[in-house]
Amino acid sequence: DVKVTQSSRYLVKRTGEKVFLECVQDMDHENMFWYRQDPGLGLRLIYFSYDVKMKEKGDIPEGYSVSREKKERFSLILESASTNQTSMYLCASSRDRESSPLHFGNGTRLTVT
Amino acid sequence: GEDVEQSLFLSVREGDSSVINCTYTDSSSTYLYWYKQEPGAGLQLLTYIFSNMDMKQDQRLTVLLNKKDKHLSLRIADTQTGDSAIYFCAGITDSWGKLQFGAGTQVVVTP
């Protein structure tokens, strides 16, 4: 079974702090994704990556950056956290681009006060 | 790109069948997926259907695809309390393989 692990289930940070959300997958998947989930809005794609050191903007990249130094690890960075970034953050991975399904981690609920 | 729409809420009695509906705008997606999210958890792949199929059955789950109407549905037979969750439909948006999700349907199963 594919395992996607997000390092924290819950995080509370202050406005202006730099925040790192970590995600690791153990199946040698090429692709990794960061989504945020908000009630009534479903999942929105923040950033994705198809290879090491490669990143592409998703639908809502503003206020975020990412890092993929190793194939198995994809980090989401909030350079200066704001209250409107309070949300559930979901990491996912998939084998390749050819219609392979996404496998999700359990999510990190981030609260910015 | 794909726009995916779902109704937001469904209440069903235990033992009845549930039907969750989804409409999409882009018919180029090779696969269409159903994901389940239980409280406090990530999304779990439930089932999927290849775009050249009309129906797929997997135990209590039946997926129907009407490509002409761009309509996808998930039927859960003999709904149980453990089926209470949010269900998302999703389709591939582009050649990069990105998934576009609907807003999710909250299914509540009552005794």
Side-chain angles (χ1 to χ4, degrees):
Chain A
D1 257 3
V2 178
K3 192 164 176 66
V4 179
T5 303
Q6 294 183 231
S7 54
S8 304
R9 290 300 302 274
Y10 301 95
L11 274 179
V12 180
K13 297 292 181 181
R14 291 188 178 274
T15 300
E17 278 193 79
K18 189 169 186 175
V19 182
F20 292 86
L21 303 183
E22 305 287 348
C23 176
V24 177
Q25 49 93 5
D26 66 356
M27 284 301 292
D28 201 37
H29 280 178
E30 299 291 327
N31 311 326
M32 296 189 75
F33 304 81
W34 275 106
Y35 287 87
R36 65 176 280 176
Q37 182 180 15
D38 300 289
L41 296 178
L43 275 71
R44 292 179 292 168
L45 181 63
I46 304 171
Y47 266 97
F48 60 101
S49 169
Y50 288 106
D51 202 351
V52 175
K53 295 191 187 295
M54 177 272 182
K55 60 186 178 184
E56 291 285 343
K57 292 180 180 178
D59 299 319
I60 52 163
E62 294 78 21
Y64 303 94
S65 62
V66 290
S67 172
R68 193 161 181 206
E69 295 296 319
K70 294 184 177 181
K71 190 175 185 180
E72 67 270 17
R73 185 179 296 269
F74 193 36
S75 303
L76 180 69
I77 303 155
L78 286 66
E79 296 290 342
S80 176
S82 63
T83 54
N84 63 12
Q85 292 179 309
T86 291
S87 186
M88 170 72 91
Y89 289 88
L90 293 166
C91 175
S93 71
S94 65
R95 188 182 68 240
D96 53 43
R97 294 185 202 178
E98 299 300 324
S99 301
S100 57
L102 269 63
H103 299 268
F104 283 84
N106 280 333
T108 296
R109 183 162 294 282
L110 172 67
T111 302
V112 182
T113 61
Chain B
E2 183 86 84
D3 280 330
V4 181
E5 291 191 0
Q6 302 178 238
S7 54
L8 293 182
F9 187 79
L10 175 68
S11 179
V12 61
R13 294 177 73 94
E14 192 174 8
D16 288 351
S17 292
S18 312
V19 179
I20 307 165
N21 294 302
C22 175
T23 58
Y24 57 96
T25 57
D26 187 339
S27 59
S28 63
S29 191
T30 307
Y31 290 94
L32 292 157
Y33 301 91
W34 283 103
Y35 282 84
K36 176 184 180 182
Q37 185 181 35
E38 295 181 356
L43 274 68
Q44 169 196 356
L45 180 64
L46 204 55
T47 187
Y48 61 92
I49 188 166
F50 191 53
S51 59
N52 69 354
M53 297 170 65
D54 298 324
M55 185 180 85
K56 178 180 178 181
Q57 187 143 5
D58 183 0
Q59 299 181 340
R60 293 191 298 120
L61 304 178
T62 303
V63 181
L64 295 177
L65 175 60
N66 182 329
K67 288 194 76 174
K68 175 174 166 291
D69 293 339
K70 297 182 181 176
H71 183 264
L72 180 73
S73 68
L74 174 69
R75 179 177 180 270
I76 306 173
D78 187 25
T79 310
Q80 303 298 307
T81 54
D83 295 323
S84 291
I86 303 175
Y87 292 81
F88 294 90
C89 63
I92 300 286
T93 60
D94 57 24
S95 60
W96 291 93
K98 293 186 292 181
L99 280 184
Q100 184 73 34
F101 288 85
T105 300
Q106 173 85 54
V107 173
V108 174
V109 182
T110 56

